[in-house]
Amino acid sequence: TPRPPATAAATGTPVAEAAEGVGRAFYLAWEGFDYVGMYNLLSAQSQALVGREDFVALYEEAMRTATVQAIHAQPLAALQEEDTARMTVRVVWETALVGSIAREHDLSLAYSQSRWGVVWDESLLLPELQGGQRLYMAYRIPARANIYDRNGDALAYQGMAITLSVIPGEIEDEEGLLAALSPILHREPQELKQLYAEALPHWVVPLGNVAAEVVEEQGSAIEPFLNKGLLAEQRLTRLYAENGVAPHVTGYVGAIPAEMLDEYKRLGYRGDEKVGLAGVEAWGEEYLRGTVGGELTIVGQNGEYISTVQATEPRQARSIYLTIDGEFQRQVEAALAEAVTTSPGFAGSIVVLDVHTGDVLAMASYPSYDPAVFDATRPEAQEALQAVLNAPGNPLINRAAQGVYPSGSLFKVITFSAGINSTLYTPETTYFSNGSWRKLGDNFVKYDWRSGGHGQVSYKRAITVSCNSCFYDMGYTLNQADPFLLPTVARQFGLGSLTGIEGIDEAPGLIPDPEWKLNNIGEPWLEGDAVNMAIGQGYVQVTTLQIAHIFAAIANGGQFYRPTVIDRIGSSGNSPEEEIPPEETGQLPISPETLAVLREAMWEVATERYGTASHRFLNLPVPVAGKTGTAEAPAAANGMPHAWFAGYAPAAPYTLPDGTVIEEPQIAVVTMVENAGEGSTVGAPLFRRVIELYYGIEPLEPFPW
């Protein structure tokens, strides 16, 4: 039987699995926000109707408008009929502002040009968008919360500011006007007059900004001059305590940086808000901002309202209370400013810690700045900001936590501890100091600060008299035993790493060792490196905060607490007030016996005739203990060293004026003035001033210089 004639092979029907795979791939690409990948899966007919750039822009705009942070897609059913297929997919948008938005999509696929493709229209973005509608988000933004000191006094707050301006040609009573403005703007009448001296008669010349409350209190004085050459315009702004108390702690707000705008918008920001850019304003952005609400709506092509997709209400922001005492902080800042501007120094910092909690009671950095300079709506805002940014002293740097310096003789506390821990020394081990030390050779002779040396001294006494050659020799000996011994103990004291302080940025500083030097300098570790390190010089870099952290632990018996400027987070709605409890983070790496010796040696620094700073604490009723530090800074313009003093109070029982007896140390204080001279000359008197301010001792002892 002859075979039947050959016929053409039938065209194979595309399998359903292939169609469903394309559909799944489309939504998988959406979950990854890969809009180009989505477009490549469209059918040829759909691609002919919408260009790739328009498709991508449409999805980007919709996701940005709805503040979508994640997409979740779940295929529910699939059906194929010859060269067409359908899928049902549940799509959930997770948004930052209006919660989860869930919709079921009816997805069509077509087989053409040897492949499956998605048949696309706007309903696959959101069913309500079919026909060319668009999304619109109405933001409901709560007022930014305040930052308070520990007593509830506002340091940063939302309020109305009044800009006081003059029109020179319309002033009727210039003498009376300037006299009325002077106490409100805290400027002399002649200074105010100088601001508009060269202005044309019709110009509007801003003289300054004040809080609305100030104008309410003193408004009667300027009322007669309103519209007679004086203008008062009000606006909502971020206000700070007068002259910016604790600006390096509170930080400041400003416009969202351009490079971070998309990221903020994904978090639910509209984009034109002021956000925290430094300090607690930045750290506490989540609390201070509150929860923004929103209403996501569908609008027509002409902008007309069609329907609401979803809406949420805003939730009140939460205020932040700091550990700082505002009035004490103000006094400490004034003391630091006086010390720097009247001494040879250029800048400086002070940290005051509660030794039993780690709370920062004051943190001052000089030169300082007024956070209001970041308010772009102020008159002459750009000029004021540029003046701060270009200031030679870099006032924006928080020198207390971000400035790093050689510690000088403060480091001898650590070298002493390493020596005792090594068992190579005891507190009573002696060294004969003749004023020079020569173990590195005649070309590298090192000298004591005291001409002729200190004679035969124990290492306990060496702390009190701050004998350099004693610690040169100890550093040399420890290095011979183990080059890593001293660096390891220094790190156990917390140097070379962050303290973990909550609320502000800090620098880790540096503790070098043989590996670090080889990896970063490309040179081997030398005996001279260890000798320099033993007195806090060479590559050693520390912060004022780190030293305060150490001396607080010495004062309280050896316990490290994480430093913090955050006392509590205020309540809001269903969120109760949240206190920040003290957090223990470790122990000093020394025995109780070694600690007791250190404390006695530091007590003698301030009380014994031979102590390096005892003459600075004569007639001070509060007993103190501490250590001087003089750190060489050869790069300084004036060639002067940095002046340090670190200590605590009271160092012995002290009776307050009301009869209360304080048995244990309360505060650790560290003062540092850059390029000001000896620690005993500048650092110790400034330390004394802080103690006087804290305990309310009057009259204040004048600075000796």
Side-chain angles (χ1 to χ4, degrees), residues 409-429 458-464 470-471 474-475 478 485-486 489 493 534-535 589-591 593-599 601 627:
S409 294
L410 298 180
F411 199 89
K412 292 172 182 175
V413 169
I414 294 166
T415 306
F416 174 86
S417 299
I420 304 302
N421 286 357
S422 73
T423 71
L424 298 172
Y425 295 86
T426 72
E428 300 309 319
T429 300
S458 70
Y459 270 91
K460 175 193 168 188
R461 178 68 64 89
I463 290 284
T464 303
C470 294
F471 289 96
M474 181 179 274
L478 293 177
L485 196 156
L486 182 55
V489 172
F493 268 79
I535 64 161
I590 55 178
S591 69
E593 293 76 19
T594 301
L595 177 58
V597 171
L598 272 179
R599 289 176 60 152
K627 180 73 188 76

Side-chain angles (χ1 to χ4, degrees), residues 297-420:
T297 61
I298 306 295
V299 297
Q301 295 182 359
N302 296 322
E304 70 277 13
Y305 170 83
I306 295 177
S307 64
T308 295
V309 177
Q310 201 149 289
T312 57
E313 293 298 321
R315 290 204 298 273
Q316 180 185 349
R318 301 177 67 183
S319 294
I320 296 176
Y321 292 80
L322 304 185
T323 58
I324 283 172
D325 182 307
E327 183 55 33
F328 178 55
Q329 172 76 24
R330 192 189 309 273
Q331 294 172 339
V332 170
E333 288 177 358
L336 177 62
E338 180 186 347
V340 173
T341 56
T342 60
S343 74
F346 299 125
S349 59
I350 297 174
V351 174
V352 183
L353 291 183
D354 183 321
V355 303
H356 299 294
T357 63
D359 287 354
V360 175
L361 304 180
M363 176 179 282
S365 178
Y366 185 88
S368 189
Y369 69 98
D370 184 347
V373 299
F374 289 90
D375 180 359
T377 62
R378 287 169 40 132
E380 301 177 354
Q382 192 60 35
E383 293 84 347
L385 179 58
Q386 284 303 316
V388 170
L389 296 176
N390 297 330
N394 296 320
L396 294 181
I397 294 176
N398 181 2
R399 284 174 161 80
Q402 295 173 305
V404 293
Y405 312 91
S407 65
S409 294
L410 298 180
F411 199 89
K412 292 172 182 175
V413 169
I414 294 166
T415 306
F416 174 86
S417 299
I420 304 302

